[in-house]
Amino acid sequence: MTRSRRRVLVVAVTALASSSCTAASQHDAKDLLVTNWSSSDISAFHLRADGSLDGKPRLTRVAKKTANPQGSIRSRDNRRLYVADWGSGTVTSYKISSKGQLKDPVTVTASRAVHPSSLALSPDGRNLYVADDGNGKRGSVAHLKLDDDGRPEPVSAVDSGGDGTTSVTVTPDGGTLLASNPGTGTISSFALSDDGSPTFVTTTASGRGTFSRLSAATDNWLWQPTPAKTR
């Protein structure tokens, strides 16, 4: 059977000049945005129909007084890119122009932020959640509201229930937030209220490291990659 749409998975790799952290794209987007941690910039690639990347990237320096962009995610309407600024303890929202250019950055400090590492959106696109690794110690999860134009406003932050929190995800029904804590090898669960506020529920042992991105499915199962044990 032939499908009219092609879905492409792009994996960010480590380059010689900088460490590429995350790639943000959408099913119908024709551009790929990649945060570069070491060089503190963001690469924009054009996606060909076959999934390959077209030519050299267009580079955008991160916003003033921010550094080491790590996690990134696009808004539901594809008009903004949200970036976790690991080196400056901030979160920055960039407008995405019709030509894929990043402009008009808005930077805020997430509550209790030390090293923001990854981001997640609620299904309705009105709430943004930020995992902060706490510099390897006790982490936190920040909650930001997004206004009608998509600009973030910090609301609150809660203890993650584990150390080195690196990843967050929201279940498709919008009722639960999950966070991975590699420092303690655990997954923390939070109930999300109608206004998007997270309330800690429990922490569950997962495995050694408990790193990488969480993937929540609709059948109440959670898949969590766990690094293999090294000798």
Side-chain angles (χ1 to χ4, degrees), residues 9-10 21-25 70-74 76 82 84 117-123 127-131 164-172 177-182 186-187 206 209-217 221-227:
L9 173 66
V10 180
C21 292
T22 60
S25 184
Q70 189 155 310
S72 65
I73 192 170
R74 290 181 188 245
R76 300 297 185 198
Y82 301 104
S117 54
S118 71
L119 307 163
L121 280 169
S122 59
N127 299 279
L128 181 67
Y129 302 96
V130 186
T165 309
T166 57
S167 182
V168 284
T169 194
V170 178
T171 54
L177 173 75
L178 299 157
S180 64
N181 311 303
T186 56
I187 303 293
S206 175
T210 316
F211 197 69
S212 193
R213 185 167 178 81
L214 295 162
S215 299
W221 284 90
L222 175 69
W223 178 77
Q224 168 62 42
T226 301

Side-chain angles (χ1 to χ4, degrees), residues 129 158-159 175-177 189-193 195-202:
Y129 302 96
V158 293
D159 191 300
T176 304
L177 173 75
S189 304
F190 302 83
L192 297 178
S193 64
D195 66 359
S197 300
T199 300
F200 179 78
V201 176
T202 188

